[in-house]
Amino acid sequence: MAMNFNAKEEVDGQVPGSSGVGGAGVGVSVAGGAGVKSRKPDNTAFKQQRLPAWQPILTAGTVLPAFFVIGLIFIPIGIGIFVTSNNIREYEIDYTGTEPGSPCNKCLNVSWNNTPSCTCIIHFTLDQPFESNVFMYYGLSNFYQNHRRYVKSRDDSQLNGDNNSLHHPSKECEPYRTSGDKPIAPCGAIANSMFNDTLTLFRIDRNETKYIRIPLTKQGIAWWTDKNVKFRNPTGPTKDLAILFQGTAKPVNWPKPVYELDKDADNNGFINEDFIVWMRTAALPTFRKLYRLIERPDNLRPTLPAGNYSLEIEYNYPVHSFDGRKRMILSTISWMGGKNPFLGIAYITVGSICFFLGVVLLIIHHKYGNRNNSADIPN
């Protein structure tokens, strides 16, 4: 009795008082005055958790077929992808020059704006022909383009041709925002560190007396959206880029201003495709970027026949200071892109695991699934 009486006193004592939100709510409700909204959720199926639910019942008849079906689908797909990837021709040359016997060792300590440029030549042999169009990449290692401050060090408005941003770049570009009292175009650390080695490919005839230069296509290597939407040159009363970029300075590490990147007006300035490709930052410290295209001359001859070749490198890009490495990669592609065996291996692995688990569970079910589970349990 004492417990019930005390509880009643506690509730009654909250009616006239104002201490506590719960007490005030009870008091108003009892008094029947202006209402404070009740904390009780609305009486709906959603708020009262009465919605209909569906839950699968996992039985041997549903789980075992699922494992076998996944295995039978994934394994052939993985084998197909793996074989397709292995059929892609790829040849890679590391021309960093850290080895004393490397032809590019003499250029190892080259610096930005090195004059004259250091040139080295590497000879190599293709044992098998490259039949279809060949994609020529440059690759860098130990270069962290994904660093937060590096990624942010650009002005997209300036790159999109905004005249105001051209002369007043974003503060995100610091310390590559201005040079002296002139704004840098393009500003930022990404543009300042643009790759600037020049790669030239030659085929050596059978007599090793004649070097035939391989034509390299420099347009069509950037994404269409980048070339036509994200990157634009500034506009004005003239199409002369030297006048449009007047009053700006070149990036610190560049040997020449942005309006002298190419003699072709459709590939100069901010819409230069080498520049656009570089500005799309990589997610990993080891990456490759498309440098040139080698188009197949006709259907009767391979793009790059088997034989001896020579790679001439105008070595301008320093990587030795951060223990980086540089590579040149020649590669064909397929319907799934470039050479990448990981996807095929992943499909084969997952399919094999599922098929193996299906067999194990089938054995367990066959051995123990028909047992009589109605045995009496001792008290």
Side-chain angles (χ1 to χ4, degrees):
M1 293 295 293
M3 183 181 299
N4 292 337
F5 178 76
N6 290 338
K8 185 176 185 301
E9 281 188 339
E10 185 176 351
V11 174
D12 291 342
Q14 290 176 354
V15 173
S18 59
S19 62
V21 176
V26 174
V28 173
S29 177
V30 173
V36 176
K37 189 173 182 181
S38 173
R39 293 184 178 183
K40 182 179 178 180
D42 296 336
N43 188 23
T44 63
F46 178 75
K47 293 189 176 181
Q48 295 296 336
Q49 299 184 8
R50 296 196 301 268
L51 289 174
W54 178 85
Q55 183 177 358
I57 299 175
L58 301 178
T59 63
T62 57
V63 174
L64 291 178
F67 275 112
F68 285 118
V69 168
I70 293 174
L72 292 174
I73 293 176
F74 274 46
I75 291 176
I77 293 176
I79 293 173
I81 294 175
F82 185 75
V83 171
T84 302
S85 177
N86 283 345
N87 288 335
I88 295 174
R89 301 273 184 248
E90 188 169 294
Y91 192 88
E92 181 174 312
I93 296 175
D94 188 315
Y95 67 92
T96 310
T98 53
E99 299 79 10
S102 172
C104 294
N105 180 259
K106 60 182 180 180
C107 305
L108 185 61
N109 295 316
V110 71
S111 59
W112 294 103
N113 300 327
N114 194 64
T115 304
S117 298
C118 183
T119 302
C120 56
I121 298 175
I122 297 178
H123 298 281
F124 64 97
T125 302
L126 295 181
D127 297 325
Q128 295 178 331
F130 284 53
E131 299 289 346
S132 59
N133 290 342
V134 178
F135 294 79
M136 187 178 189
Y137 300 87
Y138 61 86
L140 294 176
S141 298
N142 203 35
F143 193 109
Y144 289 83
Q145 274 199 317
N146 58 355
H147 191 282
R148 183 181 63 87
R149 289 191 63 187
Y150 183 88
V151 172
K152 293 175 63 179
S153 185
R154 60 189 292 164
D155 188 340
D156 288 319
S157 296
Q158 185 190 62
L159 298 175
N160 195 242
D162 183 76
N163 289 323
N164 183 58
S165 299
L166 179 66
H167 297 282
H168 302 89
S170 169
K171 293 182 179 179
E172 296 286 357
C173 290
E174 295 289 358
Y176 302 106
R177 183 170 177 259
T178 58
S179 178
D181 58 347
K182 292 183 177 181
I184 293 177
C187 71
I190 306 176
N192 187 65
S193 59
M194 178 181 167
F195 182 83
N196 63 345
D197 282 359
T198 302
L199 308 177
T200 309
L201 190 62
F202 296 90
R203 181 169 65 86
I204 306 173
D205 67 356
R206 294 180 180 179
N207 298 324
E208 297 188 358
T209 57
K210 186 177 180 182
Y211 284 64
I212 304 170
R213 184 165 182 163
I214 305 296
L216 304 177
T217 303
K218 58 187 175 182
Q219 295 198 38
I221 61 175
W223 290 20
W224 185 91
T225 51
D226 288 347
K227 174 79 172 180
N228 297 279
V229 179
K230 293 182 64 177
F231 290 81
R232 294 177 181 174
N233 283 321
T235 57
T238 178
K239 293 184 178 181
D240 189 347
L241 293 183
I243 297 176
L244 295 175
F245 281 96
Q246 192 172 11
T248 64
K250 69 177 182 63
V252 178
N253 290 337
W254 285 26
K256 53 188 175 184
V258 67
Y259 52 84
E260 293 181 3
L261 290 179
D262 200 309
K263 295 180 180 179
D264 184 357
D266 294 330
N267 193 44
N268 198 14
F270 289 157
I271 59 173
N272 177 266
E273 296 203 25
D274 286 325
F275 172 67
I276 294 173
V277 169
W278 177 257
M279 292 299 291
R280 182 168 285 276
T281 54
L284 300 174
T286 298
F287 58 88
R288 63 174 65 177
K289 292 179 183 287
L290 187 57
Y291 180 70
R292 294 291 183 267
L293 300 176
I294 306 176
E295 298 178 343
R296 187 173 186 175
D298 52 56
N299 294 328
L300 302 177
R301 295 176 295 169
T303 307
L304 294 178
N308 297 324
Y309 289 83
S310 174
L311 177 66
E312 182 179 303
I313 303 144
E314 192 175 310
Y315 201 111
N316 299 312
Y317 200 76
V319 296
H320 185 58
S321 60
F322 57 87
D323 296 325
R325 302 196 71 85
K326 298 192 290 186
R327 311 181 311 280
M328 186 281 297
I329 305 105
L330 297 173
S331 176
T332 58
I333 64 169
S334 67
W335 58 268
M336 57 168 286
K339 193 178 186 68
N340 182 17
F342 172 78
L343 187 60
I345 293 172
Y347 267 93
I348 295 173
T349 303
V350 172
S352 301
I353 291 173
C354 288
F355 195 85
F356 174 75
L357 289 177
V359 173
V360 171
L361 293 176
L362 181 62
I363 294 173
I364 294 173
H365 175 67
H366 180 73
K367 188 174 183 179
Y368 301 105
N370 297 324
R371 275 186 157 185
N372 186 5
N373 296 324
S374 62
D376 293 336
I377 300 175
N379 294 325

